[in-house]
Amino acid sequence: MPPKPVNAVRSLSAAALASVTGHDVARAAGVSQSTVSRAFRNDARLSQTKRAHVLEVAKALGYTPSHLGRSLVTRLTRTVGMAVTDLENPFYPHVVAPLHDALAGLGYRMVLFMERLEGGENDQLALDRLLDRSTDGIVLTTTLLGSAIPRELARRGLPFVFLVRVSDDVGGDCAVVDNALGASLMAAEILRHGHRRVGAIFGPAETSTGRDRERGLRAGLGVADVELPDELVCRGPYGVETGSSGMERLMKLPMPPTAIFCGNDTIAIGALNAARRRDIEVPGEVSLVGFDDLPMAGWDVFQLTTVHQPMEEMARTAAQLLVDRVEGRSEPGQVRRAVFEPLVVIRSTLGPPPKGRL
Amino acid sequence: MPPKPVNAVRSLSAAALASVTGHDVARAAGVSQSTVSRAFRNDARLSQTKRAHVLEVAKALGYTPSHLGRSLVTRLTRTVGMAVTDLENPFYPHVVAPLHDALAGLGYRMVLFMERLEGGENDQLALDRLLDRSTDGIVLTTTLLGSAIPRELARRGLPFVFLVRVSDDVGGDCAVVDNALGASLMAAEILRHGHRRVGAIFGPAETSTGRDRERGLRAGLGVADVELPDELVCRGPYGVETGSSGMERLMKLPMPPTAIFCGNDTIAIGALNAARRRDIEVPGEVSLVGFDDLPMAGWDVFQLTTVHQPMEEMARTAAQLLVDRVEGRSEPGQVRRAVFEPLVVIRSTLGPPPKGRL
DNA sequence: CACGTTGATGACTACGTATGCACAGAGTGC
DNA sequence: GCACTCTGTGCATACGTAGTCATCAACGTG
């Protein structure tokens, strides 16, 4: 009786990659695998002649050491994860890029974790990917205030650092700008121009930036006894749409504000778009300010007055803080907070209030 | 005699992560590691009761299967690399994000490889990172025409796909828009408005998009015997600065063009900025068109007439093509090219030439 | 000349997981 | 009661690398 035909729908052989390993190089060079490993790691105990020979053979065979094998045994991946929710927001590329470069400078590679939603079962899946040891540490940039993620990371002992935003129920190293201070400085600037009827389009209240910038603005205006009545306040996610619809609503009011503080530059740009659409002059009829100082804010079509935060420096610092944790150079119990100075950048969307509306 | 004190400056224990492994779970649940593995992979041969028990114990211990261990033995990382040079260019976030989502939908994660320069020793380092088996395949988006990278990937048998740009000396699956066609359609639109003196600010000649869009524009204008004299042509990288300086140069000419074709939207926006700076009316004094149709192009402050390319669909297709390769569903020798239809989007930066300058 | 000493190298194992194989026990048909 | 099939589980091994220990040759040195 002939053998039963093996009908298994074998998981299609993944292109049958003839991956060349250290053993192959060893065989071809007439040495042991250990020697190949040592040659690539420039181990001092290996003679230079043999090292040169091994490297030559390796090059001829097209050998590249496997990251998986190496990481498994060293228990170090030399990889850092970065959690971002919304890369299409013009803000994040400007934090991802410098962070990538900073990490590269420290010998680490960067992996992007983009998660759309937070909460629910989805959350567990996302968390698993953070915790599966493919990464030595995590940079958190889009954490919501009540997020379970930092808590879970702390519980599992995976190093992390907050960048831009923080979550205050779980302590952790962070690199942020002083958002409240920045907003209050901008409030002073608004007051200095003579505004007394001020509106705002804030970002989400469940983010530390949204909350702190609101707090700073209110405090700063309070100095001159200027209030921020509810009817002059809008709120929404950090996107152009929020600014656009907020602007529409505020300017339709019987007594619209003479200046509007926007939660970030993206919102401000959305507001500027609405202004253009409705033929509202800025700053002629209404002044508009942002926060972040995106490169875009300086473009001639915008010339947005805004609050600068030193993104490159913050990213560099976050990278350093995280790597220090990963490599065990930080005190385990001690939290290191890097708070940067905001800087008001004067351009041309903030002017005096229109005559007769003061 | 007391033992000699071990003074070794031991490589600072990386936070001494008590990583819990499948063996730990097995011990705690009173089963073997194999059973733990089977529980997590939902192996049919495992009884549901035991599976439930194992998962419960695993959850209590906070166990997450190691990506390294798994990938090493399965020889599949379920990870795809994406090579990008310049994330701060407003274009790329809009390709990274949909690609990430498409890959996630297919069960793959995405890793970003950002390399600043191409060429030189730097190149070898970057290449090594692509080839170290940390990835099942690569999406190439910023390939230069003569690049060694696709050649090397092909030689090593690592699957890859071109997205947006291609390199023609090495064949490979790709998802691109028909750039030449798009540019020629735009040329027809420019002609239809009555322009005869047309200028251009092209992207880099060493990119397929730069080359093909130029070719398409010239061909499209040629239909009406309109030439593109050298003095009306600028070239530069795909950034706002190129558009800005190009615009300055062209509009200072004794006989400036009445319409300018820009290599992409970013260049066009740079040109619009220069126009704003110099108080040049668009399209009153000069018409301006772009290519890509970034979300930004539709903003009220720009209202840029441009050529749309279906980025989400292209990204989805690229993801599918690559995964087909990785999982061995594609014919090894056969190249699959997905070429998408461009679409001219009429907004308000293209109008008739100014009277008396025709 | 016996004995450390040094320097260079290989054999071997661990890392955490998946999986082929063996095997135990329960059920089934005759 | 026996041969047989199933079902569930554990054992052992492999994946590619780093690093520990042993080995071995060459080389002074007293």
Side-chain angles (χ1 to χ4, degrees):
Chain A
M1 181 179 163
K4 207 164 40 178
V6 181
N7 245 346
V9 185
R10 67 165 56 212
S11 83
L12 298 149
S13 70
L17 292 182
S19 172
V20 25
T21 76
H23 288 98
D24 300 327
V25 176
R27 208 171 310 122
V31 299
S32 73
Q33 178 265 327
S34 319
T35 300
V36 176
S37 168
R38 287 195 263 262
F40 270 82
R41 303 191 38 264
N42 210 351
D43 190 305
R45 299 173 309 174
L46 189 60
S47 66
Q48 283 304 315
T49 53
K50 185 145 283 190
R51 175 173 138 82
H53 176 229
V54 169
L55 290 183
E56 193 182 342
V57 171
K59 187 167 184 185
L61 290 176
Y63 167 68
T64 304
S66 154
H67 181 248
L68 295 175
R70 176 173 293 178
S71 296
L72 187 59
V73 62
T74 59
R75 313 174 73 89
L76 241 61
T77 64
R78 289 254 166 207
T79 301
V80 161
M82 177 173 195
V84 169
T85 44
D86 177 18
L87 197 66
E88 290 179 273
N89 181 323
F91 178 70
Y92 290 106
H94 298 291
V95 22
V96 173
L99 187 74
H100 175 282
D101 293 348
L103 287 169
L106 294 168
Y108 284 73
R109 63 177 76 181
M110 197 193 78
V111 180
L112 219 51
F113 290 93
M114 278 174 63
E115 305 310 333
R116 291 311 196 182
L117 321 165
E118 195 164 2
E121 308 218 348
N122 213 311
D123 216 25
Q124 187 53 48
L125 235 77
L127 207 50
D128 276 350
R129 266 188 299 184
L130 292 182
L131 291 168
D132 71 2
R133 297 288 160 198
S134 54
T135 233
D136 293 338
I138 305 286
V139 179
L140 296 172
T141 51
T142 44
T143 325
L144 299 184
L145 278 173
S147 173
I149 291 183
R151 205 172 328 128
E152 202 61 20
L153 294 181
R155 196 168 75 81
R156 305 282 255 274
L158 187 60
F160 65 92
V161 57
F162 292 112
L163 175 57
V164 178
R165 291 188 196 168
V166 299
S167 157
D168 28 27
D169 39 314
V170 179
D173 296 349
C174 67
V176 294
V177 77
D178 191 331
N179 286 289
L181 177 59
S184 80
L185 292 176
M186 185 56 94
E189 198 63 29
I190 292 171
L191 291 171
R192 197 176 63 78
H193 277 80
H195 295 274
R196 288 299 175 271
R197 185 163 175 79
V198 179
I201 311 174
F202 291 121
E206 64 270 27
T207 63
S208 66
T209 50
R211 184 197 52 185
D212 294 346
R213 289 172 192 181
E214 173 164 359
R215 188 165 53 85
L217 181 71
R218 287 185 191 274
L221 293 177
V223 169
D225 290 320
V226 171
E227 304 245 322
L228 209 55
D230 283 352
E231 56 159 5
L232 294 188
V233 170
C234 302
R235 239 178 274 274
Y238 282 129
V240 285
E241 183 46 40
T242 298
S244 195
S245 58
M247 183 74 171
E248 299 264 3
R249 185 173 88 64
L250 292 178
M251 296 310 285
K252 265 192 215 134
L253 253 34
M255 254 185 70
T258 64
I260 300 175
F261 173 94
C262 298
N264 75 354
D265 285 356
T266 311
I267 291 178
I269 284 168
L272 279 171
N273 274 313
R276 171 64 58 97
R277 191 161 59 235
R278 300 296 176 207
D279 273 319
I280 299 169
E281 280 196 27
V282 177
E285 295 176 51
V286 64
S287 285
L288 223 43
V289 300
F291 204 117
D292 285 346
D293 194 25
L294 300 180
M296 207 185 283
W299 289 356
D300 294 280
V301 290
F302 298 121
Q303 283 298 320
L304 183 66
T305 293
T306 187
V307 181
H308 179 80
Q309 53 178 328
M311 274 315 310
E312 285 80 9
E313 203 180 342
M314 286 164 61
R316 220 168 24 243
T317 302
Q320 188 65 62
L321 287 173
L322 184 58
V323 169
D324 283 352
R325 280 274 169 228
V326 168
E327 299 183 354
R329 275 194 299 274
S330 305
E331 291 301 317
Q334 195 176 339
V335 167
R336 299 204 284 167
R337 301 174 54 85
V339 179
F340 291 81
E341 291 298 308
L343 185 67
V344 173
V345 179
I346 304 293
R347 297 207 182 89
S348 57
T349 56
L350 173 58
K355 306 240 191 293
R357 288 226 341 262
L358 204 152
Chain B
M1 180 181 165
K4 206 164 39 178
V6 180
N7 247 344
V9 184
R10 66 165 59 211
S11 85
L12 298 149
S13 70
L17 292 182
S19 173
V20 27
T21 77
H23 287 98
D24 300 328
V25 176
R27 208 172 309 121
V31 297
S32 73
Q33 178 265 327
S34 322
T35 300
V36 175
S37 167
R38 287 195 261 260
F40 270 83
R41 302 193 39 264
N42 209 350
D43 189 306
R45 297 174 311 175
L46 188 60
S47 66
Q48 284 304 315
T49 52
K50 184 145 284 190
R51 176 174 136 81
H53 176 229
V54 170
L55 290 184
E56 193 182 343
V57 172
K59 186 168 184 181
L61 263 57
Y63 167 68
T64 304
S66 154
H67 181 248
L68 295 175
R70 175 172 293 180
S71 296
L72 186 59
V73 62
T74 60
R75 314 174 73 90
L76 241 59
T77 62
R78 290 254 166 208
T79 301
V80 161
M82 179 173 193
V84 170
T85 43
D86 177 17
L87 198 65
E88 290 180 274
N89 180 324
F91 178 71
Y92 289 106
H94 298 291
V95 21
V96 174
L99 188 73
H100 176 281
D101 292 349
L103 287 169
L106 293 168
Y108 284 74
R109 64 177 74 182
M110 198 192 76
V111 180
L112 219 52
F113 291 92
M114 279 175 63
E115 305 310 334
R116 291 312 196 183
L117 321 165
E118 196 165 4
E121 309 219 347
N122 213 310
D123 215 25
Q124 188 53 48
L125 235 75
L127 209 48
D128 276 349
R129 265 188 300 185
L130 291 182
L131 292 168
D132 70 3
R133 298 287 160 199
S134 55
T135 231
D136 294 337
I138 305 286
V139 179
L140 296 172
T141 52
T142 44
T143 326
L144 299 184
L145 278 174
S147 173
I149 291 183
R151 205 173 328 132
E152 203 61 21
L153 294 180
R155 196 168 76 82
R156 304 283 254 271
L158 187 60
F160 65 93
V161 57
F162 292 112
L163 176 57
V164 179
R165 291 187 196 169
V166 300
S167 158
D168 27 29
D169 38 316
V170 179
D173 295 349
C174 68
V176 294
V177 77
D178 190 332
N179 286 289
L181 177 60
S184 79
L185 291 176
M186 185 56 95
E189 198 63 29
I190 291 171
L191 291 172
R192 197 175 65 77
H193 277 81
H195 294 274
R196 289 297 177 272
R197 187 164 174 80
V198 180
I201 310 174
F202 291 121
E206 64 270 26
T207 63
S208 66
T209 51
R211 184 197 53 185
D212 294 347
R213 290 172 190 178
E214 173 164 359
R215 189 164 55 85
L217 181 71
R218 288 185 189 272
L221 293 177
V223 169
D225 290 322
V226 170
E227 304 244 325
L228 209 56
D230 283 352
E231 58 159 3
L232 294 188
V233 170
C234 302
R235 240 177 274 272
Y238 283 128
V240 285
E241 183 45 42
T242 298
S244 195
S245 59
M247 184 76 171
E248 299 263 5
R249 185 173 88 65
L250 292 178
M251 297 309 287
K252 265 192 213 135
L253 254 33
M255 255 184 69
T258 64
I260 299 175
F261 174 94
C262 298
N264 75 354
D265 285 356
T266 311
I267 291 178
I269 284 169
L272 279 171
N273 273 314
R276 170 66 57 96
R277 190 162 60 234
R278 298 300 177 206
D279 273 319
I280 299 169
E281 280 197 25
V282 177
E285 295 177 51
V286 64
S287 286
L288 222 44
V289 300
F291 204 117
D292 285 345
D293 194 25
L294 298 181
M296 207 185 283
W299 289 357
D300 294 280
V301 289
F302 297 122
Q303 283 299 318
L304 182 66
T305 293
T306 187
V307 180
H308 179 79
Q309 53 177 327
M311 273 317 308
E312 285 80 10
E313 203 180 341
M314 286 163 60
R316 218 165 29 239
T317 302
Q320 188 65 61
L321 287 174
L322 183 58
V323 169
D324 282 352
R325 280 272 170 232
V326 168
E327 300 182 355
R329 275 194 299 275
S330 304
E331 291 301 317
Q334 194 177 337
V335 167
R336 298 205 285 167
R337 300 174 57 84
V339 179
F340 291 80
E341 291 298 308
L343 185 66
V344 173
V345 179
I346 304 294
R347 295 204 184 91
S348 58
T349 56
L350 173 58
K355 308 239 190 291
R357 288 229 341 261
L358 202 152

